[in-house]
Amino acid sequence: MKQEKKGLSRRKFIGTTALVGAGIGLGGSRLFAGPALIKNPGYPTSVISGVQIGVITYSFRSMPDQSAEATLDYVKQCGIGAIELMGDPAESFAGKPENPVDFRQYYRLRRAERDGGLSGDQQKELAELREASEAYNKEVAAWREQTSMEPFEELRRMYANEGVSIYAFKPRAFGADNTEAEMDWGVRAAKALGASHITLEHPDNDSHTQKLARIAAKHGIFVAYHGHEQQTPTFWDTALKQSTFNSLNLDLGHYVAAGNADPLGIIRDKFYRIQSMHLKDRQKPENGKGNVVWGSGDTPIREALQLMRENKYDFPGTIELEYDIPEGSDAVAEVKKCLEFCREALS
């Protein structure tokens, strides 16, 4: 029934998007002005004083519906016109096999195992979940190898038709446990979605970043490595030397929480290799490293945005909602507040 409904949704979509103009730019360009070319006041706009503000769709993980259609609606409600798209909404739209594993429980038990706190029953449950997860990953790898790029092109047109462009794609396809065919698939899917780059956690493996750069270069797509508290001013240097297709997905909040001095300095020094930058407000180590409401932490979000404006940096600033959502609110309302913070900073 789920697949039947998906097929109906896509057929309906094809009919409605047949009217989309051909002026939407294709491929992995650094700029993503395609939807802005369509003069429709109903489209979201989040280019503020020349600075593109986007959002990673991970920010909506707490919302009830995680489909591609619902994700698009969340983005539109926020008034944002460009995104970093997580893999699940796109792959589900394309017909990826449904995941039978309770991943929240799986990761919860893995963390407990790492901390040495598992009972005998929990150890057995974790073993079963791990086996099911490995089997599912093999099923997904086989699906990726045979699926076409057509659904991703359809999804791109669906989003563009509503004024939303996709500048980055982040599927779980680029890890050490993924096959090279999956990595190639992920890059091709990113290109079909209109993204200029893929994003992933830095693998801390020089041969792996070399491999990813080689695959990405073949398709003209950049690889942008994200980091958490392991970020330092030299964190990306080896990958950057390996290939011009290796680049940064800088996370300014995590960079501050790691205790680095002069967070604006890395933007000035590496701007020409930054493909996108995550924005969140975190505290310095001496203040607890917390993820907090924007404007109440130690991350110089306002100053970073103004630096982007003054220097005309063309990479997007990506809102990533990670602080606790207040009671009575939801992710859409909080992302709107973050966007308003950006507007005030750049006005």
Side-chain angles (χ1 to χ4, degrees):
M1 177 64 73
K2 181 174 180 180
Q3 291 300 320
E4 181 180 352
K5 288 175 69 177
K6 184 182 299 295
L8 288 171
S9 174
R10 283 183 53 194
R11 284 195 293 273
K12 180 180 179 182
F13 161 72
I14 293 168
T16 58
T17 55
L19 301 177
V20 177
I24 305 299
L26 297 177
S29 68
R30 178 69 174 265
L31 302 179
F32 30 83
L37 297 175
I38 304 174
K39 306 301 182 182
N40 187 324
Y43 282 166
T45 176
S46 54
V47 178
I48 307 167
S49 299
V51 177
Q52 174 70 73
I53 302 299
V55 64
I56 182 170
T57 58
Y58 171 78
S59 299
F60 305 113
R61 63 196 177 280
S62 61
M63 299 299 285
D65 188 342
Q66 295 295 303
S67 67
E69 294 86 352
T71 298
L72 174 58
D73 186 54
Y74 303 146
V75 173
K76 287 175 58 185
Q77 287 183 55
C78 293
I80 291 177
I83 62 171
E84 177 183 347
L85 181 64
M86 296 296 288
D88 286 345
E91 291 188 82
S92 295
F93 182 83
K96 184 176 74 171
E98 189 170 356
N99 187 356
V101 180
D102 182 349
F103 264 82
R104 291 186 179 181
Q105 177 67 355
Y106 179 39
Y107 289 125
R108 189 180 301 118
L109 290 173
R110 284 177 57 180
R111 285 193 296 270
E113 179 187 45
R114 186 184 61 225
D115 297 336
L118 286 183
S119 67
D121 288 343
Q122 287 176 322
Q123 289 174 359
K124 180 180 178 181
E125 182 182 5
L126 178 58
E128 292 172 351
L129 287 171
R130 183 174 282 125
E131 183 179 355
S133 176
E134 290 172 357
Y136 175 68
N137 288 340
K138 290 178 182 178
E139 183 182 6
V140 170
W143 172 80
R144 284 170 171 163
E145 288 184 23
Q146 58 82 34
T147 195
S148 77
M149 292 296 107
E150 182 183 352
F152 299 98
E153 293 166 354
E154 292 174 8
L155 188 147
R156 175 190 184 172
R157 291 191 294 269
M158 179 173 74
Y159 276 51
N161 196 37
E162 298 296 326
V164 176
S165 61
I166 301 166
Y167 56 78
F169 185 44
K170 191 173 187 176
R172 297 186 187 94
F174 304 116
D177 294 336
N178 294 108
T179 66
E180 187 161 333
E182 286 183 278
M183 297 175 200
D184 186 82
W185 167 90
V187 172
R188 289 187 293 113
K191 191 165 187 175
L193 289 166
S196 64
H197 59 288
I198 60 170
T199 57
L200 66 145
E201 307 305 312
H202 194 297
D204 194 26
N205 181 308
D206 295 344
S207 63
H208 197 67
T209 54
Q210 185 79 64
K211 177 192 293 184
L212 286 170
R214 172 177 53 79
I215 295 170
K218 182 172 65 174
H219 298 289
I221 292 286
F222 290 93
V223 186
Y225 298 100
H226 181 263
H228 288 255
E229 291 178 29
Q230 78 273 44
Q231 292 176 115
T232 67
T234 60
F235 176 62
W236 294 270
D237 284 1
T238 298
L240 297 182
K241 290 175 183 176
Q242 288 175 335
S243 171
T244 56
F245 285 89
N246 279 336
S247 59
L248 283 71
N249 173 228
L250 175 65
D251 190 302
L252 198 63
H254 291 326
Y255 193 83
V256 167
N260 293 294
D262 189 20
L264 298 181
I266 192 168
I267 302 175
R268 294 190 187 96
D269 293 343
K270 298 281 202 298
F271 72 90
Y272 60 100
R273 302 297 295 273
I274 297 174
Q275 287 294 319
S276 55
M277 178 173 68
H278 282 193
L279 300 172
K280 61 171 65 74
D281 204 348
R282 289 196 65 182
Q283 299 167 323
K284 297 176 182 178
E286 57 265 33
N287 294 329
K289 297 187 177 183
N291 265 302
V292 295
V293 173
W294 286 28
S296 62
D298 298 315
T299 308
I301 301 175
R302 184 186 313 275
E303 293 81 359
L305 291 169
Q306 292 169 353
L307 182 67
M308 293 169 68
R309 179 190 64 194
E310 298 307 316
N311 289 284
K312 297 180 170 57
Y313 296 153
D314 65 356
F315 58 84
T318 307
I319 295 169
E320 182 175 22
L321 181 65
E322 287 211 297
Y323 63 80
D324 291 338
I325 297 173
E327 186 176 352
S329 186
D330 64 14
V332 170
E334 296 306 309
V335 170
K336 284 182 179 179
K337 292 177 185 177
C338 295
L339 179 60
E340 188 55 36
F341 182 99
C342 296
R343 289 194 190 282
E344 189 276 329
L346 291 165
S347 64

